[in-house]
Amino acid sequence: MDTAGWFRKTVFSSRIQQARQLEVRWLAAHPQEIAQLQFNLLQERWKEAIHNVPYYRNLVARGDAPATLESIAMFRQAVPILTRETLIAHRDQFQRDIPPHHELMTAGSTGNPLRFGSWKNEAVAHTAVNQWVGRLHNGMTPDGKVFLLWGHSHLLGAGLKGRLKNLRRKTQDWLLGYKRVDAYHVEPERSKTYFDELRRFRPQIVIGYSCALDMMARHNMAAGRSADDLGIKLCIACAEVFPQPDSRETLQRFFGCPVVMEYGGVDFGVCAYERVDTTGYRTFWWSHLLEVEGDSAAGPLLVTNLTERYLPLFRYRNGDACEGANAGASGVLQGFAAIKGRVNDTLEMPDGRVVHSVGLFHCIHQEPVWSIQLVVKNDSMRLRLAAGAMTEAMESRIRSRLGDLHPALAGCPIDVVADVAVNRAGKRRWIVDERS
């Protein structure tokens, strides 16, 4: 075992041990056992929330939700659906008397990110352990090297703080046996560079944004390149649905290994995983209770967290939809066939470089801006920022980060507006392409 493998096994030993125990129960537990455990946890979470979170306390006080839950069926019938818009509009009602350890933020695929408080142990409780369950089950070993085609928001910082964050991330990756490359830029030449780094690194596992993985594979296959001789065991696609109908098959051919998808979100954690030995997703039922709105086999997902969180979510409509839902007697999902979610936008620049929309978000999210939108025309681009005002210092920081993302964006005109434009469906897109 190399140094990185030993270090990772040492650092993650407790969560790996917990994941191995959960993996056995993940597929073997009886539906009745699952339902009883979920109901017990749901009662605990609901009681805690109505005592400590004003929004839920007010629901009960107004008679819009029950004070106690007698069954999962009662919960699904009597507790109203929670929307992202409600979380944003009534943010103060989701604040506890005790402040959070830190604040997290979603990427905001519609240009309007959700900011929320979090406790230190949450990432392990409802994301890290579940990830290990899915990855161990699909063939990853604790000491295997990992190649990440991932976001680099920490590199877009400015000054000494940004350089220190960059150094810390690189040091952590080296110790853990990770090789991280930039998912914001996956144009042909950059994809070939990533391919060379992949071959030198020779990982066991490849993990990345679904669209970025797809572009890397297609650009290299067009150049006659393949990674199917590297002995890669598994490719894990995250963050977005596949951009093409044949994306999975393309990645399987290029990497020469099975491809599975991980399902989760910053706001609700990792709650389901595909498996190489079957089709579809299996939910992590000990940490999440999932429903389909309307009790059909396909439709919007509703997510309830069963672990302790600063921001408890009950029947949260997260904006994703599934199909092929496999529901138990209580209507709670044990699994589903596929996610039908939104694909994050990408933009091809005049020089052929491709900018991922998440990169645009990470250039601006540090500033007091509540919506962003890049409008692309045949001969120009304009950036719309929904904000109260913009100082010269703020504009300078934004332009510096935009220039890191792509030089052509640094001089882009910026309009401060009350709200960005919405499409016919009422959604605020990060990138509005008006080119003919």
Side-chain angles (χ1 to χ4, degrees), residues 48-59 92-97 309-312 314:
E48 192 277 333
I50 62 177
H51 276 85
N52 298 300
V53 182
Y55 176 80
Y56 297 111
R57 184 166 58 242
N58 294 338
L59 277 182
D92 59 320
Q93 294 186 33
F94 293 94
Q95 305 292 318
R96 297 170 179 262
D97 292 336
R309 306 177 82 237
Y310 182 87
L311 173 62
F314 298 95

Side-chain angles (χ1 to χ4, degrees), residues 68-337:
T68 58
L69 301 175
E70 298 178 1
S71 65
I72 290 179
M74 176 187 180
F75 165 73
R76 298 184 62 225
Q77 186 172 36
V79 174
I81 291 171
L82 176 66
T83 67
R84 177 191 182 88
E85 292 73 24
T86 297
L87 285 169
I88 294 173
H90 303 285
R91 187 171 184 267
D92 59 320
Q93 294 186 33
F94 293 94
Q95 305 292 318
R96 297 170 179 262
D97 292 336
I98 300 174
H101 293 131
H102 49 259
E103 186 177 76
L104 299 179
M105 179 168 45
T106 65
S109 61
T110 57
N112 195 11
L114 166 67
R115 302 168 190 265
F116 58 97
S118 175
W119 285 323
K120 290 178 181 177
N121 63 341
E122 288 186 27
V124 174
H126 67 271
T127 292
V129 171
N130 287 354
Q131 286 177 323
W132 275 110
V133 172
R135 293 172 186 182
L136 289 171
H137 179 81
N138 284 308
M140 179 175 173
T141 60
D143 57 342
K145 294 195 294 185
V146 178
F147 185 90
L148 286 160
L149 185 51
W150 208 249
H152 271 66
S153 61
H154 57 285
L155 295 181
L156 298 175
L160 178 61
K161 184 177 179 180
R163 291 194 294 271
L164 289 174
K165 289 172 67 178
N166 183 11
L167 178 61
R168 183 167 63 247
R169 177 72 267 176
K170 287 184 177 180
T171 302
Q172 290 173 344
D173 283 349
W174 179 78
L175 288 171
L176 294 171
Y178 293 166
K179 177 64 178 178
R180 189 183 303 258
V181 298
D182 188 353
Y184 299 145
H185 303 284
V186 201
E187 63 275 2
E189 289 306 312
R190 193 76 67 96
S191 293
K192 294 172 187 176
T193 299
Y194 295 165
F195 178 84
D196 294 337
E197 295 187 41
L198 178 75
R199 295 199 69 86
R200 286 193 295 269
F201 188 63
R202 304 188 74 85
Q204 180 194 69
I205 305 293
V206 174
I207 304 174
Y209 294 173
S210 301
C211 289
L213 288 169
D214 180 87
M215 287 188 288
M216 177 183 171
R218 292 182 193 276
H219 291 327
N220 279 290
M221 291 173 72
R225 293 179 161 196
S226 175
D228 62 1
D229 63 334
L230 294 181
I232 298 171
K233 289 187 177 182
L234 181 69
C235 174
I236 301 171
C238 313
E240 53 204 353
V241 299
F242 283 129
Q244 303 292 338
D246 66 341
S247 291
R248 189 188 301 270
E249 292 74 18
T250 298
L251 294 177
Q252 288 173 341
R253 289 197 308 272
F254 177 68
F255 290 113
C257 67
V259 176
V260 298
M261 298 196 78
E262 171 186 291
Y263 178 63
V266 174
D267 40 351
F268 56 91
V270 173
C271 57
Y273 237 87
E274 289 186 331
R275 295 174 288 149
V276 298
D277 51 357
T278 187
T279 58
Y281 293 78
R282 175 76 169 180
T283 63
F284 296 128
W285 43 266
W286 52 82
S287 61
H288 294 80
L289 186 153
L290 271 66
E291 316 165 55
V292 175
E293 187 176 348
D295 283 324
S296 62
L301 278 171
L302 304 178
V303 180
T304 297
N305 288 107
L306 299 176
T307 56
E308 292 185 71
R309 306 177 82 237
Y310 182 87
L311 173 62
L313 298 173
F314 298 95
R315 311 198 73 216
Y316 173 48
R317 186 192 291 138
N318 62 17
D320 291 324
C322 78
E323 63 181 11
N326 174 21
S330 61
V332 174
L333 300 192
Q334 298 176 18
F336 47 89

Side-chain angles (χ1 to χ4, degrees), residues 6-23:
W6 173 86
F7 183 81
R8 191 184 319 140
K9 288 187 73 173
T10 302
V11 171
F12 297 149
S13 59
S14 61
R15 66 185 70 172
I16 291 171
Q17 182 179 7
Q18 185 180 355
R20 289 199 185 282
Q21 295 170 350
L22 287 170
E23 183 192 355

Side-chain angles (χ1 to χ4, degrees), residues 182 184-190 215 219 346-356 402-408:
D182 188 353
Y184 299 145
H185 303 284
V186 201
E187 63 275 2
E189 289 306 312
R190 193 76 67 96
M215 287 188 288
H219 291 327
T346 58
L347 175 66
E348 183 175 350
M349 304 298 285
D351 62 0
R353 291 173 59 181
V354 177
V355 173
H356 199 291
L402 288 171
D404 289 340
L405 188 63
H406 192 283

